[in-house]
Each structure stands twice: as C-alpha cells, then as structure tokens.
Amino acid sequence: MPIGGFVITVTPSKGQQAVRALSALDGVEVYGSGGDGEVIAVLETGTSKDMERLVDRISAMDFVASVSLAYLNAEDEMLQQ
Amino acid sequence: MGLSRREFIKRTAALTAASCAGVSLTLPQAEEAQAFDADEWVRGSCRLCGVGCRVELGVKNGRPVALRGVPDSKTNFGYLCMKGMLFYKLMGHPDRLTKPLYRKSKKDKFKEISWDEALDIAAREFAKAVKTHGSDSVAYYGSGQALTEETYLFQKVMRGGLRTNNVEGNPRLCMASAVGGYLTSFGADEPIGSYADIEQATCFFLIGSNMAEAHPVLFRRVMRRKLDNKDAVKVINADPRISPTSRVADLHLQFEPGTDLALLNAMAYVIIEEGLYDEKFIGQYTTFRMGKKEEVSFEEYRSFLRDYTPERAAAICKGNITPDKIRTAARWFAKSNATMSMWTMGINQRKRGVWANNLIHNLHIITGQLMKPGADSFSLTGQPNACGGVREGGGLCHILPGHRLVKKDKLRHQVEDLWGIPRGRIPAKPGYHTMAMFTAVNQGKIKAIWINCTSPAQSLPNADLYRKGMAREDLFMVVTDIFPTKTTELANLVLPTAFHFEKTGVYGCTERRSQLTWKAVDPPGEAKPEVWIVREWALRLAKELDDPVIAKCVAPFVGKEEQYELPEAIWNEYTQKLTKGRDNDLRGATYRVLRQRPDGVQWPAPTEEWALKGGTYKKFVRGMDPLADEHAKDEKPYQFYGPAHPDKKLWIWLRPHKGPEEMPDAEFPFYLSTGRVIDQWHTASMTGRIPELMRANPYAYVEVNPRDAKRLGISPGDMILVESRRGRNLLPAKVYEGPVEGMVFVYWYDQHEDRLINRVTKDAFDPGSKEPEFKICACRIKRVSGPKVLKPYLASITT
Ligand code: SF4
C-alpha cells in the first residue's frame, strides 16, 4: 500500500475547481494548496501500479499542468520483495 | 487518541510535498510525523537522468523503503519525477546479477565462477592481448552513469598502466558535439550558467529537446516560470516533432529534420539586419571565425548571413516555418531581458552537431545574452555523470582528467608526473573514438574490451554491424553491469556490480555540479563496486605483464576499505592533484564538504571555503568566479580564461547550412528520428524492470503523422515495417500529430529484436565531435497487418 506525497500544478485560475475534482478521486486526499496553483495531495493506493495509473489519470486532467512527486513510501512492497 | 502509523506516513508525505511547493500546512502532531517512516535517511542523487535531482533514501532494517526529494537542493527543490522516485526498486530486484559469470566461447552457456577466477581470467586475457598484439589491442568503453571515481580509475589503469588511450564512453554518443561547441565558441567546456538562470529568464529557446519527458523536473521549473509570468516570459520551442514540451510554447517552430542550421543562421540574420545585436559586447569580447586560424570581420559575417534571409531559410526549413515566425523568434530572443537556450540530442546527434551548437552560441554572443542573470546557452546532459565522470574525469580517447588534451605534451607529462609514472608512459596519440573503436572491433584489431555500465549492442547506431564484431570469437569481452543486457549476450565474462546507493561516489550533473551519493544498503549476492574490481584487476595485470608501473597506478589505493575509504581516496587524488590549476578546479569539493552541502558544489571551487558556499554559479564573471579574478588581464567584468582560446575571447562562427548525411529519396522517402519517452530511460535495462514504468510503455511504437497515415492507409496499432538501408523493425503505429509530415519517430529503449531501432539508424558521425547522427536517416514504412498482441521483452542470461 504505497503512499505518495505530490505537488500537482494546476492552472492558477482554476485552483478551487481543481481541488474539488482531485478530492473527488478515490485514493486522493488534498492537504492544501497555494495561490499559484500548487495543490498538495497524498495518494494512497493498493499497489505502486495503481499509483502510477492514478498519476496518469490526474496528469490527463484538463487543468493539470504537471504532477511532481516529493515523497514515496512503499515499505510493504519493499519489505515483501 | 494517537494517530495510526499509516496516518503518520501520510502526514509526512503531505508535509514533504508542501515544503517543496512552499505551501504551509498546519497539521496536528506534524513534528512526530516526521522521521516515523524510516530508521535512517541517506542522501544522494537520482540514478537516472542528467538533471541530478537530490534524493534521500529511507532505509529500514537495512532495506530501502522510501524515497524523498531534498527541498534545500537547488537542482530539484525536493521534486522528483516518477522514474526518479522508483529507481530504488532496482535494489534487491530478482534479475540482479549476483555472481561472476564466464564462458570461454560465446557459443557456450555461462558458468558461475568465483571473483578470484574472474579477475585472473580478465587479467590474463588483457595481458595476452597486450603481449601478442600490443597495447592498442585492448580498450575500455565506459559510461556517463559510472561514478567519477570509477571512470577516473579505469582510465588511469588503461593509460598509465596498459599504455593505451583506447578509453571511450557512451557520452560520445550523446554530448560530444556539445563539448565541441563549447570549446570552439567559448574556449572552455560546459555551460557558463546554471539551472538558477531559469527563474530569471524572460525568454526560453528550447531546440532539439523534449525536455518535458527527458528532463521532467527541470522542465517543471520552466513551466512554473511561464505560469507565474504568462505575458512577460516567452517560450520558443523549435523541433521537427510536436512533443509535450511544445505545450507551454508561445511559438512552435516545426521544421524538417536537419534544417536547423539554416534556421539558426536566419535568426542571426534578423538580429544583425534589425540592429538587435549588442555592439559593445561584440567589440569587447568576441572575434569572428571561418576556421580555427582564420579571423574575419563583422562585415564578412554580415555578408555571410545574407544567404539566410528569413525567406530563404523558410524555404529550406519547410514544416510550419514562415519568414514571420523566424523574425518573431529572433526578436524575442534578442530583445528579452534574459534569454536562456536549452537543447539536447536533437542538436548534438547530428552530422554537423558541433556547428549546430556553435550557431546557438552565436545567437547568445551577438546579443550579449550571456553572463547576466537568466541568460545562458545551456546544453542539457542526458546521463547523470556524463559531465562529471567522462568530460571532466578523462573518459574519452582524446582527453585526460582535468580537461587536458592527450595530444599536448605538456599536459600529458603533467598527468604522468602527478601519477608518479615515467614520462612517455601515456601515448601521445589519442585512442579510438567510439565509432572507430567498434570498427576496430569489427576488423579484429581489438582483442580485449571492457564494457562498463552501458550496452553498446543496443545503443550504437547501425547496431547489427557492430554486434557482429562484438560476437567475434577472437574478441574477449568483459561486461560490468547490474542486469543482463543485449551486450551481456555477447560477453565472455560478466561481472556483477553494486548499484547506486550500494556504493559511494560522485556524480557531476549538467550544471558543473558535483554531488556525492553515500552507500546506504549492501549490494546483493557477490556484487562489488567497480573501484574494487579495477584495483584488484590492475594488481593481477601487473603480475601477468610483470610491470610495476601498473601496480603503481593503484598503489595509493591498496588496502583501503572498498565502500567508503577507497572511493574517497580516488576522489582525493583526482580533485587535489589533477584538477588543481584547471578550469574544473574541484579541490574545495572534498567528501567532507560534499556531505555537508544539500546539493553538492559547482566548479570552479578551488577552496573548501568557496565550495561550502556552493561554488560558482556563473563562470567568467569577476566577483562570482574565483578563476575569473585570478586570470583577469584587465578591468573588464568578464574574463574568458578557457584553455582552448589563446586570445581569451568568444568566437562567433561562420557555419553554413549543411543537411544530414542521408536524405530521403524515392526508395526511402521518410525521415526517421528516435528519442525517449518519459517512463523509460536509455536501453530500459533499469526502467524496463520497474513494472509501474513498463506498464505505461511496454514496447516501442512508431509515431506517424496523421496525414501520412491516411495516405498510406495506416490506422492506430497497425503493424508497420520500418526499413532503412541498414536494417528493419516491425512496430505498432501510433498515429499522432507529433512528427512533421514526412517524418516518423521511434522510441529507442525497446530491447526486442523486432523493435530495436538502432538496427535501422545510421552510423554517420560528425567529423569534429565524432558523435553519430542518430537523429536523422532515411527510411520507408509499410503497413504489414492490423494490430498484434505484443509482449514486452528484456534480455536475460542463461547459465
Ligand atoms: S528528472 Fe531526472 S534526475 Fe530528476 S528525478 Fe527524474 S530522472 Fe531523476
């Protein structure tokens, strides 16, 4: 069950709309956002593969300019390996 | 009630991300959340691309469990891309090579052997080749992914010990033209400025680079700069292919492959004719050149450019290029407060790659868009240590450590003296460059070759031709790597090495920045750090050849513990002795300093005091670069002390337009170009083993422009035969408004024989830099069938 800390850069004028849309996604928890369109989100998924899928989905959203990672914990997967 | 463990980890994730973005989060128990997830965090650099992002690996019970960016680092401010975030999964991967493997004949299966046996065999075979066929019958082919300590020690043993300059590396395939460009335009290799210029630039000129996918974290900074200053900052993207990089562009110049020299000269024409040049800067700091020794006047340059009016250039460039677009690009470039150009392989991997580099530099020189904050002519590097290890550490056949040319007696003798070996030991003649080296392999002139941390069987252009040579039974081939590759398939001896964070050493990224990665976990099985392997091999070679000078090359390192002491001793010798007095002076960047700094040190850094402040952000500027002050000849603010220009000036080059070596014709009517995709890196020996990354792009495809697809009856997913005069591939089609009409584009990471695109590419190379023209050749395409189910493929080893 990996947990990732992400900064999602969205079109600044669509900040509120973006936060609502992102919060509505399964596995996404929005922790906060800055005025310049930087949204702080934590993604929690069943596997790293699901995480990648979710990132792809977010990247494809209209108002998203980029998705950057800052932290990833995958201890369950790594300790099992 | 206390928080659950997962809740703590989630908070840590949120806080780490927030600290990168400068967003303040107020979370209860934030303090406790930090440091809950790992026993220890060990700092290093990302293993993959040339951006050099700083990371910390979280270790628990001796295993890697988490990764995070380093927010204080000026390379990435804590951000990472998905590739960078996942590379730690390669530690402990079940495919890792863990035992030395040997086979006498390439037809045999491999057998596991001990390290003693392996090193004896390697020493015996290299010694046999030297005794029977001479020193130049052996060769080393290294990598821009090897640590600096590794490249330095390998080349020391080859040159000083085995008396050959047959020392090369894969950076020849990616940035040799950039080296040639910097040396001929500025008199010194590597960029003048830094990533920090991005936040001050008001115009970006991105040419021949899909930065968004190849250098994603750096591209994020460009994108951020643009988003924050929508009107004030202009982005020009010049490329025959529309890529994710084009998304932020205000102006996309889509030209036909191989016409960029005309485009760049036309921009210079507009700048000169419209009086947008910086007369004072040109007068104070520059000369105009036709050849190395032939100086010409400004008027001659102006008249040379008359062949490149925007109208004429637009007719050469085709695509969407119009005279107006060229004018607009030139005006934005010249008039902006600070213009920063960035480019990669689209410019370098060309028959005239050095010229293309010169013409970008010309635009910066004539407009004075250099040295001031935000202005720079900045070549991006593809690999994490092409600059630090190979360019600076002596990893190419014609250069010795510290940017010294082999052919200069004085510089060669300096190196011999510093190593304490007899003068004359290093041959005066440069060795084989990469394409010549593998041609010599084909011709049977090389009898033993050591390939370290790279896979030429997949990455050389016209690969089939050179794989034949590597398969020769009279060639003894050693490969050091962490996974099986297309090259281990052709080896006699495969030696398992430690991966990143399983050993200690330095990477030097694109912006002259050296950063230390500290060992955090043990390598699997019997895998060993390369520095240990080279030392032990050299000691055996000395015995086999009864040559004490070989032993002398590694004598300072004998008895050193291999994980920390040995690399530090090598780094100390290299920096304290070999970079002293050179333009890449790294004496201040000791391990002690590198461990203290969040993001390493930018050279020149002659003292620890200077290095502790981070080193030099801008070269050649007095007050900013200690060497500019030291070498100052006058009171001018800029001092170009580079070793290659005796007049200490910047050179503006008159370089005519030249097309590619192979143009499309009636038989092969398409241009073929190749490149990267975001989730895969190089030959995919690493990224292909991370399921999350492989899933996104399990196999390569050929991108076809929709108009070409319609004409040829090609639908998405159809199987397409891509054929050149050298070889063929069978790939699924992606019909996509990416490549310009008349051009197809293929990702080069796929190892499957049907999709290994370097079987099709051409091995023409730049006569100056000797870098191959991967980016352009002629091909034809044909629909063979509808979609087929395809499987991803990775090379393996059977024992
Ligand atoms: S941008 Fe390059 S260096 Fe940075 S995390 Fe991604 S692959 Fe690694």
Side-chain angles (χ1 to χ4, degrees):
Chain A
M1 298 267 286
I3 293 171
F6 288 77
V7 179
I8 302 170
T9 308
V10 302
T11 315
S13 57
K14 298 200 176 144
Q16 287 310 315
Q17 182 197 340
V19 167
R20 273 196 305 277
L22 289 167
S23 305
L25 292 175
D26 248 8
V28 179
E29 206 171 320
V30 174
Y31 274 73
S33 62
D36 51 0
E38 306 279 39
V39 178
I40 309 302
V42 171
L43 271 56
E44 188 180 15
T45 52
T47 63
S48 302
K49 256 187 205 166
D50 296 340
M51 170 94 60
E52 168 89 7
R53 258 184 220 127
L54 190 53
V55 170
D56 285 350
R57 205 170 141 200
I58 295 171
S59 308
M61 290 169 118
D62 243 10
F63 46 77
V64 172
S66 86
V67 182
S68 310
L69 288 90
Y71 177 97
L72 182 72
N73 185 301
E75 61 182 24
D76 312 349
E77 283 180 7
M78 289 310 288
L79 294 175
Q80 263 164 33
Q81 205 179 55
Chain B
M1 212 181 93
L3 293 169
S4 74
R5 176 175 172 71
R6 294 200 68 72
E7 205 48 49
F8 267 128
I9 294 176
K10 280 164 77 174
R11 287 184 180 202
T12 305
L15 288 164
T16 312
S19 77
C20 298
V23 173
S24 68
L25 293 182
T26 39
L27 293 177
Q29 294 172 278
E31 292 289 301
E32 292 139 76
Q34 306 279 3
F36 190 82
D37 45 0
D39 302 338
E40 190 192 3
W41 287 95
V42 183
R43 190 169 282 186
S45 299
C46 171
R47 169 62 178 78
L48 296 171
C49 88
V51 176
C53 295
R54 287 299 268 175
V55 299
E56 283 178 336
L57 184 72
V59 181
K60 195 169 172 179
N61 302 329
R63 308 279 303 268
V65 291
L67 202 83
R68 66 186 182 196
V70 175
D72 298 343
S73 161
K74 289 193 203 74
T75 49
N76 59 323
F77 297 103
Y79 293 110
L80 300 170
C81 73
M82 202 74 190
K83 286 195 294 268
M85 192 54 96
L86 292 171
F87 79 84
Y88 73 97
K89 293 200 147 195
L90 300 173
M91 300 167 199
H93 192 285
D95 290 356
R96 284 286 298 271
L97 295 165
T98 55
K99 287 246 183 203
L101 302 171
Y102 175 64
R103 59 183 177 183
K104 195 163 170 32
S105 161
K106 287 170 186 160
K107 294 188 196 97
D108 296 341
K109 284 191 168 173
F110 281 102
K111 272 201 326 252
E112 288 183 358
I113 57 171
S114 70
W115 270 109
D116 266 338
E117 289 171 291
L119 293 163
D120 282 346
I121 292 167
R124 219 170 36 232
E125 291 290 340
F126 272 70
K128 190 171 87 189
V130 169
K131 278 193 246 173
T132 326
H133 303 281
S135 284
D136 284 338
S137 69
V138 298
Y140 167 75
Y141 185 69
S143 169
Q145 298 157 60
L147 296 163
T148 302
E149 293 82 345
E150 294 163 0
T151 299
Y152 173 78
L153 192 58
F154 262 120
Q155 63 84 39
K156 185 181 183 191
V157 171
M158 294 300 292
R159 298 182 204 271
L162 291 176
R163 316 178 79 150
T164 178
N165 287 313
N166 286 343
V167 172
E168 270 287 291
N170 60 13
R172 178 74 71 185
L173 307 180
C174 63
M175 36 101 298
S177 299
V179 176
Y182 277 124
L183 284 171
T184 48
S185 288
F186 299 154
D189 189 19
E190 304 199 37
I192 296 171
S194 301
Y195 299 158
D197 287 311
I198 293 174
E199 281 74 28
Q200 313 222 40
T202 47
C203 175
F204 293 98
F205 182 56
L206 313 176
I207 179 164
S209 161
N210 177 8
M211 229 184 140
E213 295 195 77
H215 299 87
V217 169
L218 210 54
F219 184 70
R220 185 187 186 285
R221 289 171 70 167
V222 174
M223 189 202 62
R224 190 68 261 170
R225 174 86 183 138
K226 172 72 186 163
L227 280 181
D228 290 344
N229 303 275
K230 255 194 152 17
D231 299 325
V233 170
K234 298 282 186 229
V235 179
I236 307 164
N237 183 210
D239 203 299
R241 175 172 172 256
I242 297 171
S243 72
T245 305
S246 331
R247 281 216 309 223
V248 297
D250 298 278
L251 180 63
H252 186 252
L253 301 170
Q254 195 178 22
F255 50 87
E256 272 197 5
T259 61
D260 41 8
L261 298 175
L263 173 73
L264 293 164
N265 272 332
M267 286 173 67
Y269 171 90
V270 174
I271 290 166
I272 299 291
E273 290 309 313
E274 296 191 2
L276 303 174
Y277 56 95
D278 185 335
E279 202 175 342
K280 192 167 160 218
F281 186 89
I282 293 176
Q284 281 192 326
Y285 297 111
T286 72
T287 61
F288 296 87
R289 301 270 162 166
M290 281 284 275
K292 207 170 167 198
K293 300 223 167 85
E294 198 185 338
E295 222 179 300
V296 294
S297 66
F298 175 78
E299 275 316 315
E300 281 168 288
Y301 177 57
R302 179 176 222 152
S303 111
F304 161 82
L305 290 175
R306 291 202 181 107
D307 282 345
Y308 302 97
T309 60
E311 285 69 20
R312 278 200 189 174
I316 297 173
C317 295
K318 303 197 186 85
N320 78 353
I321 307 296
T322 61
D324 272 355
K325 280 190 177 150
I326 296 175
R327 285 197 181 88
T328 305
R331 287 172 194 149
W332 285 357
F333 190 109
K335 288 185 185 170
S336 113
N337 290 337
T339 297
M340 187 171 190
S341 295
M342 286 183 265
W343 67 95
T344 43
M345 302 316 144
I347 290 295
N348 295 343
Q349 291 176 333
R350 293 283 316 286
K351 180 78 193 287
R352 286 295 171 187
V354 175
W355 290 11
N357 274 266
N358 289 144
L359 294 189
I360 300 173
H361 298 323
N362 275 2
L363 296 176
H364 284 270
I365 302 173
I366 60 176
T367 53
Q369 292 282 13
L370 287 168
M371 272 74 69
K372 55 187 183 182
D376 203 27
S377 193
F378 195 88
S379 141
L380 299 169
T381 316
Q383 299 185 89
N385 201 28
C387 290
V390 176
R391 272 156 100 157
E392 298 157 25
L396 294 172
C397 67
H398 66 296
I399 45 169
L400 298 164
H403 289 155
R404 291 174 173 89
L405 288 177
V406 166
K407 64 178 185 203
K408 299 251 177 195
D409 293 347
K410 188 176 145 210
L411 299 178
R412 210 173 52 250
H413 294 328
Q414 265 175 15
V415 173
E416 290 162 337
D417 294 350
L418 291 167
W419 286 346
I421 60 172
R423 286 195 174 186
R425 190 76 194 184
I426 304 174
K429 204 171 142 235
Y432 292 122
H433 61 80
T434 294
M435 298 316 295
M437 182 179 277
F438 286 95
T439 301
V441 167
N442 277 355
Q443 293 164 341
K445 289 184 187 160
I446 287 179
K447 299 293 178 192
I449 188 166
W450 192 307
I451 291 172
N452 181 36
C453 192
T454 184
S455 182
Q458 184 180 354
S459 58
L460 290 176
N462 194 6
D464 283 353
L465 177 65
Y466 301 101
R467 289 197 291 182
K468 272 190 210 132
M470 286 183 250
R472 283 176 74 119
E473 281 295 337
D474 62 349
L475 172 77
F476 174 77
M477 191 154 107
V478 190
V479 178
T480 23
D481 217 321
I482 61 165
F483 287 120
T485 63
K486 295 299 287 179
T487 305
T488 58
E489 284 177 355
L490 302 168
N492 298 92
L493 185 63
V494 177
L495 302 177
T497 56
F499 184 53
H500 208 51
F501 279 105
E502 295 170 358
K503 59 187 177 186
T504 301
V506 177
Y507 270 173
C509 73
T510 304
E511 53 165 1
R512 298 177 279 105
R513 185 184 290 280
S514 295
Q515 307 186 110
L516 178 66
T517 297
W518 201 246
K519 178 182 179 266
V521 295
D522 289 330
E526 295 177 21
K528 285 281 194 184
E530 282 92 325
V531 285
W532 176 87
I533 300 172
V534 191
R535 180 185 70 187
E536 300 305 308
W537 172 63
L539 291 171
R540 284 165 164 87
L541 269 176
K543 280 198 193 133
E544 288 284 341
L545 287 166
D546 192 20
D547 186 346
V549 179
I550 303 177
K552 181 113 210 254
C553 289
V554 291
F557 315 123
V558 171
K560 301 264 182 230
E561 173 277 325
E562 72 207 46
Q563 300 294 358
Y564 307 100
E565 271 181 36
L566 176 57
E568 182 167 18
I570 298 168
W571 178 255
N572 282 344
E573 175 179 299
Y574 163 58
T575 55
Q576 304 309 312
K577 289 187 177 178
L578 277 292
T579 73
K580 182 181 174 192
R582 305 300 300 168
D583 67 340
N584 71 320
D585 197 328
L586 275 159
R587 279 174 297 157
T590 57
Y591 269 26
R592 189 180 75 84
V593 169
L594 291 175
R595 287 206 79 183
Q596 282 180 51
R597 300 261 329 141
D599 48 13
V601 173
Q602 288 182 283
W603 59 258
T607 63
E608 284 202 337
E609 195 191 354
W610 185 251
L612 276 167
K613 292 184 201 143
T616 301
Y617 143 70
K618 279 264 180 199
K619 279 197 297 184
F620 304 145
V621 181
R622 292 190 69 172
M624 281 189 183
D625 172 355
L627 296 193
D629 292 321
E630 190 187 318
H631 294 291
K633 305 177 295 327
D634 48 40
E635 287 310 307
K636 289 188 198 132
Y638 307 143
Q639 300 287 332
F640 302 104
Y641 54 78
H645 286 183
D647 62 359
K648 305 299 170 205
K649 293 208 162 172
L650 305 179
W651 292 1
I652 297 163
W653 284 94
L654 281 63
R655 302 289 202 201
H657 171 64
K658 274 255 192 241
E661 171 91 356
E662 189 180 53
M663 287 292 282
D665 54 21
E667 213 185 332
F668 296 94
F670 277 85
Y671 288 104
L672 166 67
S673 194
T674 66
R676 278 192 196 163
V677 63
I678 189 160
D679 288 326
Q680 297 282 5
W681 197 72
H682 275 206
T683 58
S685 63
M686 293 185 286
T687 46
R689 288 184 165 87
I690 300 174
E692 296 81 355
L693 299 178
M694 197 57 165
R695 183 192 64 78
N697 288 287
Y699 38 79
Y701 41 79
V702 52
E703 287 180 0
V704 185
N705 182 288
R707 285 171 294 286
D708 290 324
K710 194 166 171 213
R711 202 162 42 82
L712 297 171
I714 293 171
S715 302
D718 284 354
M719 296 304 293
I720 307 297
L721 189 68
V722 178
E723 209 173 3
S724 74
R725 291 182 175 87
R726 294 151 297 281
R728 47 167 58 184
N729 269 203
L730 185 64
L731 303 132
K734 181 174 181 189
V735 177
Y736 170 65
E737 193 63 69
V740 69
E741 224 176 316
M743 166 190 173
V744 293
F745 185 89
V746 178
Y747 300 121
W748 73 277
Y749 66 85
D750 202 323
Q751 298 183 7
H752 193 286
E753 287 295 316
D754 284 349
R755 303 186 293 270
L756 199 157
I757 196 60
N758 278 327
R759 302 180 70 192
V760 186
T761 52
K762 184 159 173 64
D763 49 353
F765 57 83
D766 184 302
S769 69
K770 320 290 191 242
E771 179 164 345
E773 192 164 45
F774 284 95
K775 287 291 175 207
I776 310 173
C777 71
C779 75
R780 60 183 168 221
I781 60 170
K782 193 172 119 194
R783 180 185 180 278
V784 173
S785 73
K788 283 253 159 75
V789 179
L790 298 173
K791 281 202 182 123
Y793 172 82
L794 286 171
S796 57
I797 277 193
T798 40
T799 46

